[in-house]
Structures are given as C-alpha cells and as structure tokens.
Amino acid sequence: MPGNPPFRLYNTLTRRKERFVPLREGEVRMYTCGPTVYDYAHIGNFRAYVFADLLRRFLKYLGYRVVQVMNITDVDDKTIRRSRELGISLREYTRRYERAFFEDIERLNIERAEHYPRATEHIPEMVALIQRLLQKGYAYRGEDGSIYFDISKFKDYGKLSRLKIKELKPGARVRQDEYAKEEARDFALWKAWSEEDGEVYWDTPLGKGRPGWHIECSAMSMRYLGETLDIHAGGVDLIFPHHENEIAQSEAATGKTFVRYWVHNEHLLVEGRKMSKRYGNFYTLRDLLAKGHDALAIRYLLLATHYRRKLNFTFKALEDATRAVERLSDFAARLESYSAGAQKPTKLSRHVEHARREFESALCDDLDAPRALAAVFRLVREANRAMGRGEASMEDVKAVKRFFADFNRIFAVVRERRGELPPELMKLIREREEARKRRDFATADALREELLRHGIAVEDTPRGTRWRWRK
RNA sequence: GCCGGGGUAGUCUAGAGGUGAGGCGGCGGACUGCAGAUCCGCUUUACGUGAGUUCAAAUCUCACCCCCGGCUCCA
C-alpha cells in the first residue's frame, strides 16, 4: 500500500522491530498456536487469539492475502486423562470443547482462519517428519520405545529463547530424568503407548503410540503453509520450550528457516496476578458472558493494551471498556442518521485524513493498537463537534464513515446496527413526537419507556428525534 | 542462581531526546419539557527515587526502591 509507512513487527528471534516483507509477494502465511481442547478456553487464551486476529485483519487491510492456520490439539495427556475419567472416547470429549471454542471465537468477532487442522487427523504427516529426523540422525529411540529429539545435534538450539542449555535451573532437569532420555532436555517426538493411554494410540511404522506435543505444529504448518512460513504467533510462554522445539525439529528436518517472524503476545494478569489454570484464578469467556458482560467489550479490553505489554484484567477495566464500546457504537449510529444540506468537504475531511495517517502509522509500528485507538477517538470528538454544530457536510460524513468502517474491519468492536426499525415501533416514535408537540409529556415519556423495553433508545435533538438500538 | 519486562495525573493505557496523548471516572457549564447522546471547561503542564549527560530528559547514563514474569504443563 503506497503511502503507508512500512509495517514493522517485533521479531522475538532478533528482539527487534523488523520491516515485514512476506516471502511471496502479496501473500502472508501465518500459523497460530491454537487451543488444546480439554476445557473451556479462558480470557488469557483469548488474548492470544484476539491478537492474532488483529494481526490478520491488519494484514488484509494492507492488501495481503492471508493464509492462516490454527491447530486444534485434540490429543495430549490432559485430553486422554479426562476423557478416560468420564468414560467417553477421546473424540467425543475433545469435540465438545472444540465446538465451545468455535462458539467463543465467534462471540469475540474473531475471523475464521483458513485451516483448523486437528492433530489426530495428521498422524501420517507427523510420522513422516519423525522418520526424516531419525534418518538424519537428529532423533533416537529411548529405552521405553519413545522417540526423542537429540538437542545436542542441533547447534542452533536455544536461539529463540536465548536460553543456554547448561544454565537452565538445576532442579528442573533432575525431575525430568525419569524418562528414558539420554539428556534431560531432549523432548519426545513420539510417545510409546503406555497403560494410561488406554485405547488412544496409533499403529504406525514408529510403533504403537501417539505424537509428542511439539511435533504437530511443525508437521501441520508445513502441510498447509510449506517449509518456511512468514509468521508464527503465540503466547510468550510458548517461546520455551514449545517454539524452540518446533524450530529444532523443523529446521533439522528441512535444513531451511522454519519461521521468518516470530511474534509473541504477553500474558494477561487478573487483578495484578498471573492467570493460569493452575492457580484457578481464571475466567472463561462463558463466565464473563454469564455475568452479563459484553463480548465486544471484552474484545476491546483485550485490544486496548499493546500486545507485548502485560494486560491487567480487572472488572473496573471491563466496565470502562464497555463504555468505550458504547461511545463508538453510538457514534456509528449517529453517522448513519446525520444529514446536512452542505455537500462540499470542510475541515472535517482533513481531520479524517489526518486520523487515518495516524491510525495507519500506529498499527504499522508493531501493531500499536492503543495509539491507533487514540487517533480514532480524536476523530470521533472532531466529528461529533462538527455534526453537533451542523457544520459537517455530507462529503465529510462519507469520509468519516469510510474511515470508521476500515477501523472497524480491523478492530471489530463496534456494535452492529440491528437492521431496520419494525414499522410498529416507528409508529410509536411518531406518536411520541406528536405527543411532545402537544406538550403531553406524560404520554411522550411513557412511549419512550415502552420503546426502551423494545431496545430502542430515542433522543431528542435540535434537529429532531433520533433513535438507536440499545443493547 | 541465570535471564527479562514494568512503575505515566483519580484510574487504566500510548509515547521513548524538543511536535496537541487517548479511554474511563469526578466536578461545573452549554443544549433539553425531562432524559439521553454530544460538546466545552476544570480535575491535569503527569511520567518510582536520587544523581548525571544535554541548549532541551517521561525518553539517554548510573545507583537505588517497588511490582511482575521466564528458566517446568501453560496463551
């Protein structure tokens, strides 16, 4: 897009903001670490998905074709254990949470990725990748029959997390030695079947067992995006060991760069504390919606802090976000109902251009959403002022609408108008206006109450009565 | 132990040498029959503390205080 500053992204690999240029012109291939479907996802998880969504939407705004893959991890220790506890099949168990996941992301206005591969449906790809690693001498079979990646063979090991293997905390490695690994840091590519796996196993050339966790992302991303991808996104906690291991497996197998830009979102804190399932201080999206909170406000809250900063989730902040979303939504409604005689652009049109430049340069600077939002709100004030005074021309309003629509294509936080007004409600509005003309305010107020019960808020302005949908 | 991120007005968030910060809240005002939405003004010349560099520091340097995270399943 000419005129834009270059899009720069912070690459965890280099620890610098880098100009983003995809490998293939006009197309971005990105992979996002998706959910392990063993429970309802919590809002911390959604920060990662909402962030990836912002990234993909902005790339599209910049004119790229985006091919995004998000894995569904539907086999691991937890899913196996819990499905067995419930006495149902792994598939039945994981599909339940997979469905919930898709419901949740829809509530949050997260665009669908192009592919959602399930781990259980890509066993052959994983087996093939592991065989390649065995052939090349990067993997070995342990005494328990499992297959491990030998990190000592991969000299770049640690380049992403910048951890030196020797310096890792002593306590952590001792505990790991219960496995039949040659080196405590080696990780499993293939786990040989054991008692607690029950009927969950695959008979493959590697033996009877199931894949390790890390291998699925390498195998599935290569299957859908090729051996080198542009962007790989995920939470900071995945940098080590998961992403480090992905690099090791993938690059050892292909000899090529696996990922060109690694992007990681920071964690979310709840009332100042790390949120995790272990602490039990987590909220699922369902929890919050059940308490009456608005999905768009949650989305807004997740986007209103820069993605590389810790986000402190509090209910006060959620209330604030709710109001901010209302302000934007009210503004959108006002744009729709505004009319003026003047056609020629006024200085408001210049404000729109200015806001757009600010907006774009903020997002181009490593997706600085808070700065982009500030530009939007500044314009909202300018436009409200101009419309309030009747100074805005129709040309201005068109320009504002275009910008606002683009803004919302990226942020997706403005409440949609819920279609046209039913005729019977339109009739009530007219009756109320007549009552007001007669100065029969008792009737007018009663009608206003009634409309509100139907979700319609009416407002009297110097230029006549306006109505809008209320949530 | 080894790495790393922060502390910005009432509050939450941007900014990272000079160019109007934004949201939310509070108070007052304009508009209105009332309400709401909106606008204006105030809260507000804010940057953890102490030194230093500089014509200029929230931004750079050093020291210190406080909070949080990674090194282990985790977004």
Side-chain angles (χ1 to χ4, degrees):
Chain A
M1 244 193 186
N4 274 330
F7 178 34
R8 301 189 326 137
L9 258 183
Y10 183 86
N11 189 348
T12 306
L13 196 59
T14 56
R15 309 284 155 110
R16 269 202 294 266
K17 289 184 197 174
E18 291 177 2
R19 180 174 188 159
F20 175 77
V21 182
L23 201 55
R24 295 183 196 158
E25 200 181 336
E27 180 183 292
V28 177
R29 287 164 296 150
M30 63 184 275
Y31 186 90
T32 313
C33 281
T36 299
V37 283
Y38 73 102
D39 202 345
Y40 297 115
H42 59 61
I43 48 169
N45 299 123
F46 287 117
R47 184 181 194 194
Y49 308 139
V50 166
F51 161 63
D53 187 53
L54 175 71
L55 175 56
R56 83 171 259 131
R57 284 169 177 267
F58 185 57
L59 288 166
K60 284 167 78 175
Y61 173 82
L62 291 177
Y64 292 111
R65 192 167 91 80
V66 173
V67 184
Q68 184 190 189
V69 175
M70 183 181 277
N71 63 297
I72 302 288
T73 300
D74 58 351
V75 54
D76 80 322
D77 293 352
K78 284 182 286 234
T79 47
I80 292 171
R81 194 179 69 237
R82 295 203 186 177
S83 61
R84 292 193 80 197
E85 281 164 10
L86 292 176
I88 59 178
S89 72
L90 179 68
R91 183 192 159 99
E92 190 186 341
Y93 179 80
T94 54
R95 290 300 163 90
R96 182 182 298 175
Y97 290 104
E98 188 186 301
R99 264 196 307 280
F101 170 73
F102 284 114
E103 285 166 16
D104 287 351
I105 62 173
E106 198 175 325
R107 295 298 302 271
L108 285 173
N109 265 180
I110 293 171
E111 274 187 4
R112 298 283 293 215
E114 280 63 31
H115 304 280
Y116 289 100
R118 296 187 182 104
T120 54
E121 291 170 0
H122 294 77
I123 303 296
E125 285 87 344
M126 297 185 223
V127 169
L129 189 57
I130 295 167
Q131 285 176 320
R132 245 166 121 181
L133 290 168
L134 282 167
Q135 264 162 34
K136 290 193 165 190
Y138 284 105
Y140 61 91
R141 191 178 289 274
E143 283 168 22
D144 61 344
S146 295
I147 296 172
Y148 297 96
F149 186 92
D150 181 353
I151 62 167
S152 69
K153 295 268 167 56
F154 186 72
K155 58 258 152 261
D156 280 345
Y157 195 84
K159 71 175 172 181
L160 180 69
S161 56
R162 305 205 172 177
L163 292 174
K164 301 205 171 57
I165 301 155
K166 293 189 188 99
E167 290 175 5
L168 295 177
K169 201 174 167 183
R173 49 192 315 190
V174 178
R175 260 184 282 132
Q176 289 228 332
D177 266 333
E178 52 199 71
Y179 275 102
K181 299 189 262 185
E182 288 173 7
E183 154 71 41
R185 285 285 134 197
D186 289 350
F187 58 91
L189 294 164
W190 183 260
K191 297 185 172 186
W193 182 84
S194 69
E195 202 62 51
E196 57 266 27
D197 291 340
E199 69 231 31
V200 178
Y201 62 84
W202 283 264
D203 265 318
T204 74
L206 299 174
K208 177 178 171 180
R210 61 184 170 98
W213 174 43
H214 311 294
I215 197 70
E216 68 174 83
C217 287
S218 293
M220 298 197 296
S221 62
M222 287 189 212
R223 156 81 191 274
Y224 294 94
L225 299 174
E227 295 184 343
T228 298
L229 25 156
D230 292 306
I231 299 175
H232 191 130
V236 282
D237 54 314
L238 296 181
I239 294 171
F240 186 88
H242 187 232
H243 291 336
E244 196 68 62
N245 291 349
E246 278 186 47
I247 291 174
Q249 297 165 336
S250 306
E251 299 192 350
T254 67
K256 296 178 188 161
T257 299
F258 176 47
V259 169
R260 304 176 60 241
Y261 302 88
W262 284 96
V263 293
H264 296 277
N265 60 278
E266 247 300 348
H267 275 287
L268 174 148
L269 308 173
V270 175
E271 307 291 346
R273 234 192 134 194
K274 183 187 174 180
M275 168 155 152
S276 83
K277 295 186 181 181
R278 186 175 67 184
Y279 293 144
N281 68 339
F282 70 92
Y283 295 97
T284 64
L285 182 65
R286 277 138 208 271
D287 294 334
L288 297 175
L289 296 179
K291 286 183 173 192
H293 296 290
D294 178 53
L296 287 180
I298 295 166
R299 179 180 170 96
Y300 180 94
L301 180 59
L302 295 177
L303 288 173
T305 298
H306 185 91
Y307 76 93
R308 285 194 288 114
R309 289 274 296 242
K310 287 182 187 62
L311 186 162
N312 190 12
F313 181 93
T314 63
F315 285 96
K316 165 71 165 61
L318 185 52
E319 292 305 324
D320 292 353
T322 305
R323 303 233 165 70
V325 166
E326 282 308 312
R327 178 166 163 82
L328 293 170
S329 302
D330 285 347
F331 178 70
R334 187 175 190 182
L335 284 177
E336 291 304 320
S337 63
Y338 184 81
S339 63
Q343 298 296 324
K344 292 220 168 113
T346 71
K347 70 176 181 187
L348 178 56
S349 289
R350 287 202 304 280
H351 284 303
V352 175
E353 283 172 40
H354 184 72
R356 186 183 287 276
R357 272 198 303 276
E358 255 301 297
F359 179 79
E360 287 177 354
S361 71
L363 290 177
C364 280
D365 183 12
D366 194 31
L367 291 171
D368 194 339
R371 209 168 98 211
L373 286 171
V376 171
F377 278 107
R378 276 196 290 267
L379 181 70
V380 167
R381 180 181 296 115
E382 291 292 350
N384 269 327
R385 176 161 39 197
M387 287 192 286
R389 292 174 179 165
E391 289 168 3
S393 70
M394 290 317 282
E395 204 49 50
D396 292 333
V397 171
K398 260 197 243 165
V400 176
K401 278 188 195 172
R402 270 196 301 272
F403 172 63
F404 207 71
D406 285 337
F407 151 66
N408 202 233
R409 250 194 291 288
I410 297 169
F411 280 79
V413 291
V414 176
R415 202 177 311 292
E416 295 289 321
R417 297 179 72 220
R418 281 180 244 163
E420 290 308 303
L421 192 62
E424 63 272 22
L425 294 180
M426 188 50 100
K427 197 169 147 243
L428 291 183
I429 291 176
R430 280 204 212 91
E431 280 173 25
R432 179 172 171 276
E433 281 178 275
E434 279 158 28
R436 288 185 70 230
K437 273 191 202 128
R438 295 193 302 271
R439 302 192 69 77
D440 177 2
F441 297 120
T443 304
D445 290 351
L447 286 167
R448 183 164 65 195
E449 278 304 308
E450 166 140 22
L451 283 159
L452 198 58
R453 277 196 296 278
H454 287 93
I456 306 291
V458 289
E459 292 160 9
D460 306 312
T461 76
R463 258 178 291 284
T465 297
R466 233 172 61 202
W467 68 271
R468 62 198 168 86
W469 290 104
R470 206 63 206 169
K471 84 161 180 166

